[in-house]
Each structure stands twice: as structure tokens, then as C-alpha cells.
Amino acid sequence: MSHILHLGHQVTDLAGVEGRISADAAGFDADLDVNCIRINTGETSAVPFSASWALPAGDVWLRFRYKAPSINAHIIGTDGTFLEFYDTANALVAIVRTERDDEKYHAMAVGGTSVDGASSFVAATNQVYWIDVKIAVGADITIEFYADGVLQSSATAANAGGKGRPVRCVWKNYGLFDFYNPAICYYAHIAVLEGVSTIGRRFARRTPDLVATYDAFSGEVDAVKDGDIATRAESDIAGPRMSFSLAGPTGPAGASAIAGVHVKQLAQLGTAGPTGVAGFLRIGGVDYDASPGTPSPDMASPVYSTWDVNPADSTPWITAASPTEVGIVSS
């Protein structure tokens, strides 16, 4: 069972980022990816985008890299909104907001009443931060807001309305700086985990490159590496496999250990045929299949497969032994 709820900041991962994907090196960590989201926004003009995920059973942790606005990020010109979290009923559960009076980012829990947390975080102009947010929902709603691993603001409100755990985050991009001219800010490396702290974690995105041992899906590897949701690899029976080598960053320089390996695929059920799909790793000529997931029949939906240890010998992953061939299998 994967603890991954969401990974990625590409057009196929998020809503509202079309035309905003940028290769500007200022906006991302080149050890982890090859692009970022570039937002050009006015002082009081919201430029939202969002990520959605399946209903979690535990606490939700969100992490991303944020480069603060290029103009007057240390001055907040109006009360604004950085992040909003919603449950399955589209009810607002929690907020990270900006406040003009103290020019800080505040966590706010939204239960029967809204409770605003004190804050110690002022964003510096053009400064890069790793942001983590934890949200716990039960009899109370609690939100914790971290910057660079340090708790900056937290708030707890009684959950009088019976709200659920969040399944969507909106990056509102409203009121983050004080100036009449537009400013630029950047986002990258978005991850959402269930019941596992995101603090200190990095996720390197590797993508399909060349066909490897298996090529039994129609559409071939080109259909899954072009970033176009309309071009697909397909299988109308259970059992066929497709595998490929990987391209892209391999993680932070000097890293000696890997916490886990994850295969993400966007998949959709057909009107007949297989009812599931799984990721697999091929190591030393042996296939190691994850448990299959069941995609939506209505739209392409993410299916995650996770290996916390090397399945070949059940030992912790090390950089030298990270898999070089991965694939998908219909079931």
C-alpha cells in the first residue's frame, strides 16, 4: 500500500498550470526535475492552480519548493491567501493566509469557527523555501505550517461541522506581496503523503526513455513519455507488460540512501478487459510487481506503486542499486 497521495507539478498532475510550466532554472532544483511552475501575478489578482488526491485515511502532509515573489515579498499589501484545503464536500478545512498587519503567513483551521494561528514567518523577496503543511482532521481540525523544516504557525479548531480530511489544495496566489506591478513566484516538486511526514524529503522525477524488456502494450513507449494525456498505451487483456529505461535527474548529489521508489501512472479503465494495472520493477532479470490499483473508468487517474526497500533482497535502497528498468502490467 503506497503512502503517496500525489506527486508532481506537470500539466498532467495539476489543474490550472497550462501555459505556466517553465524551464527557468530559478524555479526548481535541477537534482529533482527539469522544470517548474512560473506564476506572474498582481498584488490583488489571484492566479490559482490546484492538486487533487484520493480520500486519505490518515493525516495529510504537503510539501513543495516555493520561491517567494520577485517584488516586496517581505511586505504584505493586503490580507491574502497562499493555500486553501478542501474536503470531498468542497468544504474549506484549512488555510495558509497572509496578513497585512504583521506581514506574515498564518495557518488557519476552519471548523465550526475559524481559528487563526500566530506566525513567525515573513517571506524574503526572491528567497527559496521548502514548505511543509500538515493537516489532521477528527474531532478537531489542526493545521501546521512549516518553512525549511521549522514550525512557523499552527491552529486548531473544533470540527463542529463534521468536515472530512482534505482531498484538494488550491495555491491561491493572492496578496503575497505589496506592489502595483506584477511579481513572479515559482513552485515545484509538489508531494502529498498520507500519515508520513514530508519534512526533509525530496522526490526526483524520472521519466520513460527507451523500450526495454517488454513491449506488449499498443501505443508503445512514445505514448507514455510525451506528456500528452491524449496519447496512451493500451492493453485489452490481462497480463501484458511494458517496460522502459529511465531518463532525468537521479536525486541530490552525494545522497547515499533512498527512502523509497515510486511508480506513478495515469490510467483509465476501458469498457471491457482488464480491471486493474500495477507498476513493476525489473531487477537482475526478475520482475517485482506491486499490488494492482483500479483506475477510474471515467477519466485518467493516478495509480501509485511503492517499494520502501529493494524487493530483490529486502534491504534498504542505496543510490547505486536504484532500479534502471520499470514498467506497467495489466491485471
Side-chain angles (χ1 to χ4, degrees):
M1 182 70 178
S2 178
H3 56 273
I4 303 294
L5 293 173
H6 174 92
L7 288 177
H9 62 258
Q10 309 305 310
V11 170
T12 52
D13 303 317
L14 305 168
V17 296
E18 294 84 356
R20 298 193 173 105
I21 301 299
S22 171
D24 189 339
F28 63 95
D29 184 339
D31 288 332
L32 305 178
D33 215 321
V34 298
N35 58 25
C36 59
I37 301 165
R38 183 179 185 271
I39 298 293
N40 192 358
T41 178
E43 177 186 348
T44 57
S45 301
V47 184
F49 66 89
S50 64
S52 300
W53 52 86
L55 179 65
D59 298 343
V60 171
W61 283 85
L62 166 71
R63 154 159 278 219
F64 57 94
R65 184 185 189 269
Y66 171 51
K67 187 170 186 181
S70 56
I71 298 173
N72 287 2
H74 59 289
I75 302 173
I76 303 298
T78 184
D79 290 349
T81 305
F82 186 42
L83 306 171
E84 296 176 327
F85 296 88
Y86 294 87
D87 70 6
T88 56
N90 205 35
L92 187 61
V93 174
I95 303 172
V96 178
R97 68 180 195 87
T98 56
E99 185 172 307
R100 178 179 181 176
D101 289 348
D102 64 9
E103 301 172 341
K104 296 175 181 177
Y105 289 49
H106 292 253
M108 176 181 282
V110 184
T113 60
S114 295
V115 177
D116 194 24
S119 177
S120 54
F121 181 69
V122 176
T125 300
N126 268 329
Q127 179 65 42
V128 170
Y129 299 98
W130 282 93
I131 301 298
D132 297 278
V133 181
K134 178 188 178 183
I135 299 179
V137 177
D140 295 325
I141 296 171
T142 297
I143 175 173
E144 298 173 356
F145 172 72
Y146 298 80
D148 292 338
V150 178
L151 180 63
Q152 307 287 348
S153 182
S154 64
T156 297
N159 189 8
K163 294 179 179 180
R165 295 182 177 93
V167 295
R168 183 165 65 102
C169 176
V170 178
W171 284 256
K172 195 67 171 285
N173 292 303
Y174 176 81
L176 303 183
F177 66 101
D178 181 23
F179 206 79
Y180 292 110
N181 295 326
I184 296 169
C185 55
Y186 298 91
Y187 300 91
H189 319 309
I190 297 171
V192 183
L193 307 186
E194 176 183 2
V196 175
S197 172
T198 51
I199 294 174
R201 290 179 180 256
R202 302 284 195 274
F203 295 87
R205 183 175 71 99
R206 311 208 71 202
T207 54
D209 188 19
L210 301 175
V211 67
T213 304
Y214 301 104
D215 192 18
F217 277 54
S218 64
E220 301 183 341
V221 70
D222 287 343
V224 297
K225 77 180 199 178
D226 62 5
D228 184 352
I229 197 68
T231 59
R232 304 181 178 188
E234 299 179 350
S235 174
D236 59 4
I237 59 174
R241 296 175 182 266
M242 170 183 282
S243 65
F244 31 79
S245 60
L246 299 171
T250 56
S256 60
I258 299 172
V261 171
H262 315 282
V263 173
K264 175 182 181 178
Q265 53 186 302
L266 294 177
Q268 183 174 355
L269 291 183
T271 55
T275 58
V277 66
F280 72 91
L281 309 179
R282 186 168 175 82
I283 303 171
V286 178
D287 300 329
Y288 296 93
D289 296 355
S291 298
T294 303
S296 167
D298 301 318
M299 65 183 70
S301 56
V303 175
Y304 292 97
S305 303
T306 292
W307 292 263
D308 293 327
V309 296
N310 188 332
D313 55 15
S314 298
T315 60
W317 289 107
I318 58 173
T319 303
S322 60
T324 57
E325 181 178 353
V326 306
I328 54 177
V329 54
S330 60
S331 59

